[in-house]
Amino acid sequence: TTTPSPVPTETPTPEASPIPTSTPTETLTPTATPLMPTVEAMFQEDFDAYIQDAMRYTGLSEEQLREIFRDMVLRERVREDIISEVPTVVEQVHARHILVTEEDEALAIMRAILEDGENFSDFARFASEDYQSAGDGGDLGWFPRGQMVEEFEDAAFGAEVGEIVGPVQSQYGYHIIQVLGHEMERELTEDQITVRQEQAYNDWLSAQREAYDVQVFDYWIDRVPEDPTIEDVLGIEM
């Protein structure tokens, strides 16, 4: 009897045990905590406080106050637009003058200067009735058109540099004028620019009032106390 040989069986290969690894943890990125409120938040806080104070002192509603602020902003924007068109470089004259009351006196001074060679500045210091410029020998500095009275201005801008003209009569008396310089394009001073800008804006306002039927209500007059106290001014009881 033949004994069957055993059938070889495959020895299973043991599975590799996984090597335990540490479980990764999520790293949180710290968020910056603001140390101070934003500019917008600070402005809003101040504005809200201002509105509340204004409502308490004036008796107006928030809507009424916002309408007032809106008008103020619009007015300022219009003003900026108007004054932006005012030129800052214009024709200017540098002149000095002697101002006296009587024409005969003015003629005598002119003869002394032109014929006898007397000094213009010296005469201005002791004879001129324009006390603001007399101490400077009558020197008025540089000025553009529109700054002096018309008669004076026409004579000064029409004269040659170095020329002495007069007597020129104006509402102030008789002027003896000497032109020291004349430039077609000269930068205005900051003060001159400010004056011309305000004049331009006021002229524009006057033109608008004439062009439209503008009504002015003076209802506020009856609300102003004739003899105001500190309580009236602040709107609170002391």
Side-chain angles (χ1 to χ4, degrees):
T1 304
T2 304
T3 303
S5 57
V7 178
T9 59
E10 183 178 1
T11 304
T13 303
E15 296 181 359
S17 301
I19 299 174
T21 58
S22 59
T23 304
T25 57
E26 181 180 2
T27 302
L28 300 178
T29 303
T31 57
T33 303
L35 299 179
M36 61 183 299
T38 63
V39 173
E40 182 179 358
M42 292 174 63
F43 171 82
Q44 189 62 49
E45 183 179 351
D46 290 343
F47 181 77
D48 291 342
Y50 177 82
I51 286 289
Q52 294 301 318
D53 289 341
M55 290 171 61
R56 184 166 60 254
Y57 292 146
T58 64
L60 299 175
S61 67
E62 181 175 345
E63 182 180 354
Q64 290 172 319
L65 288 171
R66 287 182 178 274
E67 186 65 23
I68 292 173
F69 296 150
R70 176 179 176 276
D71 291 343
M72 291 171 60
V73 171
L74 289 176
R75 180 186 181 93
E76 185 59 28
R77 286 183 178 177
V78 170
R79 179 182 176 279
E80 289 176 356
D81 186 56
I82 297 299
I83 68 176
S84 67
E85 299 179 0
V86 175
T88 59
V89 177
V90 297
E91 180 186 11
Q92 295 190 60
V93 159
H94 180 196
R96 58 183 176 182
H97 80 141
I98 301 169
L99 175 65
V100 293
T101 305
E102 302 298 331
E103 183 178 13
D104 290 343
E105 183 180 6
L107 290 170
I109 292 174
M110 284 197 67
R111 284 195 297 270
I113 295 173
L114 295 175
E115 298 176 10
D116 301 335
E118 297 290 343
N119 186 274
F120 191 104
S121 296
D122 291 342
F123 260 103
R125 288 188 178 92
F126 73 78
S128 180
E129 296 181 19
D130 177 7
Y131 303 114
Q132 290 184 334
S133 67
D136 295 325
D139 196 341
L140 298 168
W142 289 91
F143 54 88
R145 292 183 182 274
Q147 188 168 313
M148 303 295 182
V149 292
E150 183 177 359
E151 300 86 354
F152 184 98
E153 201 169 87
D154 288 343
F157 278 86
E160 298 292 333
V161 175
E163 184 180 0
I164 296 176
V165 296
V168 177
Q169 185 178 12
S170 77
Q171 64 194 73
Y172 300 105
Y174 292 88
H175 306 264
I176 302 166
I177 306 169
Q178 183 178 27
V179 176
L180 304 177
H182 190 166
E183 295 183 11
M184 298 304 296
E185 295 184 351
R186 183 178 177 86
E187 184 78 24
L188 294 167
T189 66
E190 291 186 8
D191 289 341
Q192 289 173 328
I193 292 173
T194 298
V195 170
R196 292 168 75 88
Q197 287 176 339
E198 291 304 318
Q199 185 61 52
Y201 180 61
N202 290 332
D203 291 344
W204 180 86
L205 282 178
S206 298
Q208 301 311 304
R209 292 191 181 103
E210 293 179 2
Y212 299 94
D213 184 18
V214 178
Q215 294 181 331
V216 178
F217 299 96
D218 295 330
Y219 61 86
W220 57 271
I221 294 178
D222 296 333
R223 303 186 181 189
V224 177
E226 295 182 0
D227 187 17
T229 62
I230 188 65
E231 290 85 355
D232 295 324
V233 175
L234 297 179
I236 59 175
E237 295 183 1
M238 300 295 290

